[in-house]
Amino acid sequence: MVLMTDLTQRQIKIFKCVTDEFIDTAQPVGSETLERKYNLGISSATIRNEMAALTQLGFLKKGHLSSGRSPTSMGLKYYVRNLMTPKSMSVSDEVGVKEKVWNYRNEFDRLLKEATKELAKKTRSLAISTTDQGSIFSSGSSNLLEEPEFYNIDVTKTVLSLLDDPSFWFELVNKAGIDTNEGSAKMSHLLVGEDLGMEHLEPCSFVYQTYQAGPHRGIVGIVGPARVHYQVVIPVVDYFAELISTITG
């Protein structure tokens, strides 16, 4: 495994710029774009050399139809854990969400269903939640169609078909080594690309958090493109998991 200390500061800066640009545009990023937009203070040739080095290290991959590069699954997880600056929800947004689900605090399944619906709205993604009784709730599947990755019918069909298969999500979490009995951890968990274990899910990511609400345990999270805006999505998923854990506690 390559550690942050194994990269030079220049490589870290270039990698962050490539990832930020890819998240915003959904397109592989070329050295000319970085030189023009990010004021790195080095030549296009030097940027190309550093991008080639980052590719060899496994942080970037080359586009199929262009000379540009995009972050790998490993690179995206590195970005989230080391380079991303989370954008917390505003207090008014937090209060608004809590008000929407407050009346269902004594009806757990209804609470989880409504919370999943609100999570989909807040993240403009497909939101998913599970219970340890084997139930699964989802909302926001139409949001997938707003993202270029889901113009591929095979990708969209695969995701939607898995909404009827709670065991897939439980097995995915178990393979990742996350114990839903532990309750909420410090930061959301991220599975991206090949972590999801299916060819047609490689352009996707699954950001989720565990919850423990009295006797109820499970996960809540979102499915979106691999380049989802993690700095916004992760704090929202964390908040919803914490809300579910405490509102019925």
Side-chain angles (χ1 to χ4, degrees), residues 60 146 151 157 159 164 179 184 196 203 205 219 223 227-228:
L60 297 178
E146 297 180 10
Y151 296 167
K157 184 178 178 181
V159 172
D164 296 323
D179 184 359
S184 293
L196 299 173
S205 65
I219 57 171
V223 176
R227 53 171 193 91
V228 71

Side-chain angles (χ1 to χ4, degrees), residues 94-156:
E94 290 184 356
V95 170
V97 168
K98 192 170 185 177
E99 287 177 345
K100 289 282 182 65
V101 302
W102 179 257
N103 289 338
Y104 309 112
R105 63 193 182 280
N106 296 320
E107 306 169 63
F108 187 73
D109 280 6
R110 184 67 187 275
L111 168 69
L112 201 56
K113 184 177 181 179
E114 293 299 321
T116 305
K117 187 187 300 183
E118 290 302 313
L119 177 58
K121 289 179 183 177
K122 286 295 178 187
T123 59
R124 299 185 65 81
S125 301
L126 167 62
I128 292 176
S129 62
T130 68
T131 73
D132 53 4
Q133 301 300 312
S135 299
I136 185 168
F137 299 100
S138 66
S139 183
S141 55
S142 62
N143 291 330
L144 297 178
L145 303 178
E146 297 180 10
E147 303 292 349
E149 290 84 350
F150 295 96
Y151 296 167
N152 183 327
I153 188 63
D154 291 326
V155 174
T156 304

Side-chain angles (χ1 to χ4, degrees), residues 7-215:
L7 300 183
T8 67
Q9 287 303 306
R10 185 163 73 184
Q11 287 173 336
I12 290 171
K13 188 173 182 180
I14 289 172
F15 173 71
K16 185 176 186 302
C17 291
V18 170
T19 305
D20 286 340
E21 183 72 12
F22 176 69
I23 286 173
D24 284 342
T25 66
Q27 297 295 324
V29 183
S31 57
E32 297 81 4
T33 299
L34 295 185
E35 184 182 29
R36 185 177 70 251
K37 291 183 65 174
Y38 289 90
N39 192 28
L40 294 170
I42 53 179
S43 69
S44 182
T46 301
I47 295 172
R48 278 197 300 275
N49 290 337
E50 293 288 30
M51 290 173 75
L54 287 163
T55 302
Q56 285 189 320
L57 290 168
F59 287 84
L60 297 178
K61 59 185 176 182
K62 197 166 184 179
H64 296 300
L65 301 175
S66 74
S67 59
R69 285 176 167 80
S70 56
T72 60
S73 298
M74 183 187 87
L76 285 167
K77 287 187 281 190
Y78 175 91
Y79 171 86
V80 168
R81 301 305 178 196
N82 298 293
L83 304 178
M84 180 193 78
T85 302
K87 296 181 179 178
S88 298
M89 291 177 68
S90 68
V91 173
S92 61
D93 279 349
E94 290 184 356
V95 170
V97 168
K98 192 170 185 177
E99 287 177 345
K100 289 282 182 65
V101 302
W102 179 257
N103 289 338
Y104 309 112
R105 63 193 182 280
N106 296 320
E107 306 169 63
F108 187 73
D109 280 6
R110 184 67 187 275
L111 168 69
L112 201 56
K113 184 177 181 179
E114 293 299 321
T116 305
K117 187 187 300 183
E118 290 302 313
L119 177 58
K121 289 179 183 177
K122 286 295 178 187
T123 59
R124 299 185 65 81
S125 301
L126 167 62
I128 292 176
S129 62
T130 68
T131 73
D132 53 4
Q133 301 300 312
S135 299
I136 185 168
F137 299 100
S138 66
S139 183
S141 55
S142 62
N143 291 330
L144 297 178
L145 303 178
E146 297 180 10
E147 303 292 349
E149 290 84 350
F150 295 96
Y151 296 167
N152 183 327
I153 188 63
D154 291 326
V155 174
T156 304
K157 184 178 178 181
T158 300
V159 172
L160 296 182
S161 68
L162 291 170
L163 296 181
D164 296 323
D165 184 8
S167 63
F168 171 81
W169 305 99
F170 286 108
E171 289 171 10
L172 195 62
V173 172
N174 288 336
K175 284 179 184 175
I178 305 303
D179 184 359
T180 57
N181 291 326
E182 293 177 350
S184 293
K186 219 171 185 185
M187 185 177 179
S188 287
H189 309 288
L190 169 62
L191 299 176
V192 59
E194 59 265 21
D195 295 338
L196 299 173
M198 297 180 72
E199 179 186 354
H200 291 313
L201 296 183
E202 287 197 6
C204 306
S205 65
F206 180 35
V207 178
Y208 65 97
Q209 180 59 284
T210 59
Y211 70 80
Q212 180 174 342

